[in-house]
Every structure is written in structure tokens, then in C-alpha cells.
Amino acid sequence: MKAITLYLQKRGYDCVADDYYSKIELWQKWYRGKVNSFHNYTQFNGKKKIRRTRKTLGLGKVIPEDWANLLLNEKVQISLASSQLQKKVEYVLRSNRFYSKGNQLVELAFALGTGAFVEFTDGDDVKIDYIRAGMIYPISWDNGTITECAFASERVRGKQKTVYLNIHRRDEHGFYIIENHMFDHQNGNTLTEIDLPDGVIPEVQTKSKVPRFQVFSPNIANNIDPDCPLGISVFANALDQFEAVDIIFDSYSNEYQLGKKRITVPISMARIQMEEDGTVAPIFDDSDTEFYAVPQDDNTKNEIKEHNMELRADEHNTGLQSMLNMVSWKCGSGMRRYIFEDGTVKTATEVISNNSDLYRNLQKHELLLTDALTGMIRAICDILKVGKNQDVRISYDDSIIQDSDREREKDRQDVRDNLMKPYEYRMKWYGEDEETAKKMTQQEDGLTLE
């Protein structure tokens, strides 16, 4: 929101350039599923230009959601040394629907490049706000770490459109001060400050050096603006592949429209006929779209012809899967994370190997998420006045990871116990087809397990 940037600059704060927020808007369009500049286009049909709309597989939603489900799910455990403190923190997390709202925030952060947890008090309760990228305005940062930040959100009071601005800044001693502002926002980039709602004070002196916000991003380098403290979408460098996928999918969908059966009939058989009561009606119903009238001359036989178009389903499936593999790789999920099946994109069901690209990138993303979650818990403890720098441990869901060496040894034992056929072992671990695997095991007169 350009008006917020202008306001903060007038206050003397450095801000991220407005054109970077245009990148966030583009990522948000892909997250929603339709990008007007790409999905809506015109096509010349030989007579005139007509408007077309491409169909989409919605990868901008699928991929961030997949990452969020891998990173922050119901099996993630947040532990503190004190059991009494653990109960208090768990109450705060439950009352703020942390595991559902936090999962949604991670999804938004991976789609839009950045997300933030913001802690505050509402009476005696500790509250957590979940802030997406377009609402985050860093005003001070050091080596990529945001130390002061403003958070904006649009609100409606009756018929009045307002903007609530929350500024977290530090005083000369490093203690955090939180400012609250409310603006009338009726005209473009013009902000007029108005009174705060009842119960909201203009300034909060936290008397603490513990920040009550944590900004996090996907753990990938920002190649759009390396000096910007905001992150980039996990699919920021895969938009060309997104377009290619939707072009193929749109063509696939059109294949069935263009390839449906056609029946050509001489135009004399499609003409209007007179009924006995004086009404007229065509011999063939206009709604029967498979019929098509063709001109007729003296040399044309008076016959009906059936035309069965050939569908290129296999070619489209192959092309779509190949491009999905490239998208998966560009987004850090390895080569075969996503599968086109039954008209939708599904995630691969096999367990993740501990030496796969997906597993290594998952661990990399966990580093920044762990910092954010640890900071959030310490901010909650600070607000509850139960001590600073608490020992916080974050345990992620490891049930999705498969140790390939251990699994291979288990399969070896299954072969020895005749629970797995030797050729099945070769198919699984050597990537051979069934015919080749059986041939190899016969040549070796029994499988040598290496």
C-alpha cells in the first residue's frame, strides 16, 4: 500500500521500495489462480479477434500448501523446560488457533515470500496476529534481519474504510515501543489520521528488548533484490514453468472440446421443413452440436458422414507431467513431487528419502521457521512475565522421512525370508522394469544383495 510507505517515509523511516510490493501482488495473483495478463488473452480466428480464458491447474496454491503441510502440521511439538510454563504457553497457542492459523501463515509466506507472527495483549489475554507479506513494512534491518517493523491492515467501521497501522520501534536503549495508528482511507494514496477505537492506546512501552514480532521467509536467497529484507515466493523463479503448465493443461481441456464427434449432413437435409399445422422446424435440432451442415452440389452425394476425431491424451499427459517435474524441481521439491492424475495435481505418496532434494530443502526451511517459532514463544513468555530467553525446543514431524539405507536393508532381509521376490528388489532399487529384473535374477541364479 503506497500510502503507508509515504507515511512512514515522512516519519523518517527507510522503507522497502514500492516496486517490490508489485512483485508480491504478482505472486498473490498466481496464488489466487488467475493472472489476467496471462490467462485472459485474444486470438484471431480468421475473421476477428475473440477473447479467450486459459484454464489453470492452480499450482500457485498447490505448492505453498504442500510446503506448509510438511513444515507446520499437527505433529510439530513446541517444548519448554518448565512443565508449568509449558501449560501456559500451550493455552495461548490453543486460544489463538495456532496450529491451523500458523499452517495457513506458512502457506501464505511461501506463496508471497514473507509472513510474520505479531504478539500483543487484549486485556489479560495474549493474542497472536498472523500477517502476510503485503501488510509487512520493514523500517529497520541489519544484515537481512528486521529489527523494527510496521504492520498495516485494512478495516471497515460501518461505511468507513480505515487502515490500522502498528509500528514496532526501539528507543535509544533498545527497548521496544509499539505505536498504534488509525487512518481514514477513502482516496487513493491519501491517509487522514483518525481516533483509535475505544480501549486501544496510542503507545505501549514494553520495557523489553524482546521483539513482539517475528518475520520469516522461505530459506532461499532473494535474487530479485538481494538487499531487500523481505523474502521471495517459493515459486518466484518458476513462473515461466507455471505458464507452460497452464498452456498444456488448457490445450488438454480443449482437446476434448475440439475432438468431439462431428456428423456432417448435406445442407438440403438440414433445411427448415413445414409442419402440418403451419409451423416450421429444422430437421436437425440446433442444440445437437455434433451435426454440421455442409454445402451441396450436383457432384456431392446425398449422404451423412461421421467424423471421429483422434484425441492426443497420451501426448498431453506426457507433456504435462514433464513440465510438472520441472516445476517441482524449480520449487525445491525434487523432480517428481507432483503427479497429474484424474484431472488434478496430487503429491507423490511415497515416503521422503533422507537424501532427497525435498528432504534437504525441508531441513533448510526449518532453520528459519525454527527461529521464528522460538522468537514467538519467547515473546509470549516475556508478555506473561515468566522470564526471558527460555529454552525452547521445536520438534518437527519426522514420520515423513524414510532412511533409505535402513529400508534397503529391510528389503534385503525380506528377500532372504522369501517375503519379497528378488526381481521385485531389483525393480525397486535398480529401477528396472519387471521383464529386465526377472531376466537379471535368472542370469545370476539368485540375487546377490549388494
Side-chain angles (χ1 to χ4, degrees):
M1 192 184 300
K2 189 173 182 179
I4 296 297
T5 303
L6 291 173
Y7 173 81
L8 293 171
Q9 288 174 340
K10 289 180 180 178
R11 292 278 307 270
Y13 295 116
D14 290 327
C15 297
V16 173
D18 282 326
D19 59 357
Y20 196 83
Y21 288 92
S22 67
K23 299 291 184 183
I24 296 174
E25 290 176 5
L26 175 61
W27 300 331
Q28 186 163 335
K29 289 175 183 177
W30 279 103
Y31 177 67
R32 288 173 177 169
K34 291 283 188 180
V35 181
N36 287 335
S37 60
F38 172 72
H39 290 97
N40 297 326
Y41 65 102
T42 58
Q43 185 179 37
F44 186 65
N45 68 355
K47 294 172 60 179
K48 61 179 181 179
K49 288 186 177 181
I50 55 176
R51 293 182 179 179
R52 302 282 194 193
T53 300
R54 287 190 179 95
K55 293 178 174 59
T56 178
L57 274 177
L59 295 181
K61 165 71 174 174
V62 171
I63 293 172
E65 184 176 0
D66 184 32
W67 275 113
N69 291 339
L70 291 171
L71 283 162
L72 189 56
N73 54 49
E74 71 282 357
K75 294 185 179 180
V76 172
Q77 295 182 344
I78 300 176
S79 306
L80 293 97
S82 167
S83 59
Q84 185 177 6
L85 183 55
Q86 178 81 30
K87 292 179 180 179
K88 291 182 179 180
V89 170
E90 286 179 351
Y91 173 79
V92 173
L93 297 179
R94 284 196 308 271
S95 62
N96 284 278
R97 300 168 57 204
F98 170 73
Y99 284 99
S100 61
K101 300 293 289 184
N103 173 271
Q104 293 172 19
L105 180 63
V106 172
E107 178 181 327
L108 286 167
F110 272 66
L112 308 182
T114 311
F117 301 108
V118 179
E119 301 79 33
F120 63 99
T121 57
D122 183 6
D124 294 331
D125 296 325
V126 179
K127 298 292 185 180
I128 303 173
D129 264 349
Y130 306 92
I131 312 296
R132 56 182 170 81
M135 301 162 61
I136 301 172
Y137 295 84
I139 55 178
S140 180
W141 55 92
D142 182 15
N143 199 25
T145 300
I146 299 172
T147 54
E148 297 176 302
C149 196
F151 304 95
S153 59
E154 290 188 343
R155 301 185 180 184
V156 176
R157 296 197 303 187
K159 294 183 178 180
Q160 186 181 29
K161 187 177 181 181
T162 62
V163 174
Y164 173 63
L165 184 64
N166 185 235
I167 302 175
H168 294 242
R169 61 179 177 84
R170 295 190 294 187
D171 64 16
E172 63 274 14
H173 303 293
F175 294 106
Y176 276 94
I177 299 171
I178 302 172
E179 297 180 19
N180 295 306
H181 300 271
M182 187 73 73
F183 303 93
D184 179 76
H185 186 224
Q186 303 298 326
N187 301 313
N189 295 323
T190 302
L191 291 179
T192 304
E193 191 154 6
I194 58 177
D195 292 337
L196 290 163
D198 293 340
V200 179
I201 60 177
E203 189 173 280
V204 177
Q205 301 278 349
T206 68
K207 299 180 180 179
S208 173
K209 295 183 179 180
V210 178
R212 296 187 181 180
F213 66 89
Q214 301 79 39
V215 181
F216 68 96
S217 304
N219 196 0
I220 49 181
N222 186 339
N223 63 320
I224 296 174
D225 183 354
D227 297 322
C228 179
L230 297 176
I232 62 172
S233 170
V234 73
F235 55 72
N237 291 286
L239 297 186
D240 287 346
Q241 288 72 32
F242 274 24
E243 291 183 359
V245 165
D246 282 356
I247 287 173
I248 298 171
F249 178 61
D250 184 62
S251 175
Y252 199 172
S253 300
N254 288 335
E255 187 78 0
Y256 289 88
Q257 176 70 22
L258 299 174
K260 65 183 180 180
K261 179 186 292 187
R262 294 288 192 275
I263 300 175
T264 56
V265 298
I267 197 166
S268 61
M269 301 181 67
R271 287 180 177 143
I272 302 296
Q273 67 177 1
M274 181 74 71
E275 301 289 351
E276 292 181 2
D277 60 359
T279 60
V280 295
I283 293 175
F284 295 108
D285 190 341
D286 287 339
S287 63
D288 291 335
T289 57
E290 66 271 21
F291 290 104
Y292 190 85
V294 296
Q296 183 181 10
D297 56 32
D298 295 338
N299 297 321
T300 304
K301 293 182 179 180
N302 193 28
E303 61 182 10
I304 297 174
K305 292 184 178 180
E306 181 178 311
H307 304 269
N308 291 306
M309 307 298 184
E310 182 179 351
L311 298 176
R312 300 169 298 165
D314 290 342
E315 291 84 349
H316 278 90
N317 269 315
T318 301
L320 192 54
Q321 188 59 58
S322 296
M323 194 54 61
L324 279 174
N325 292 342
M326 188 174 293
V327 167
S328 178
W329 170 66
K330 290 293 289 286
C331 295
S333 303
M335 280 297 292
R336 298 185 180 276
R337 176 64 177 169
Y338 304 105
I339 300 169
F340 182 72
E341 187 176 282
D342 299 329
T344 59
V345 177
K346 300 179 180 180
T347 55
T349 56
E350 65 267 17
V351 183
I352 302 169
S353 169
N354 62 355
N355 64 353
S356 66
D357 290 339
L358 176 58
Y359 175 62
R360 288 193 290 268
N361 286 323
L362 183 63
Q363 286 191 310
K364 186 173 74 170
H365 291 314
E366 285 175 357
L367 294 175
L368 293 188
L369 183 58
T370 297
D371 289 344
L373 295 178
T374 301
M376 179 189 71
I377 299 303
R378 288 176 176 170
I380 292 171
C381 293
D382 188 52
I383 294 173
L384 293 173
K385 299 186 180 349
V386 291
K388 303 175 183 178
N389 297 322
Q390 294 289 335
D391 182 18
V392 182
R393 294 186 297 276
I394 313 294
S395 300
Y396 293 95
D397 178 18
D398 59 1
S399 65
I400 59 176
I401 308 303
Q402 178 73 38
D403 188 318
S404 57
D405 292 335
R406 186 181 302 174
E407 184 184 15
R408 190 163 185 165
E409 178 57 37
K410 177 181 177 298
D411 286 351
R412 291 191 186 106
Q413 188 60 50
D414 285 346
V415 173
R416 298 186 189 103
D417 295 340
N418 294 319
L419 298 175
M420 173 183 276
K421 299 294 184 182
Y423 76 86
E424 292 175 331
Y425 181 94
R426 292 195 68 93
M427 289 175 65
K428 180 175 180 178
W429 292 105
Y430 293 96
E432 297 171 345
D433 58 52
E434 183 174 342
E435 182 181 355
T436 302
K438 286 182 176 179
K439 183 178 180 181
M440 292 297 294
T441 54
Q442 290 170 359
Q443 288 178 353
E444 295 172 4
D445 192 23
L447 179 65
T448 300
L449 300 176
E450 298 177 351

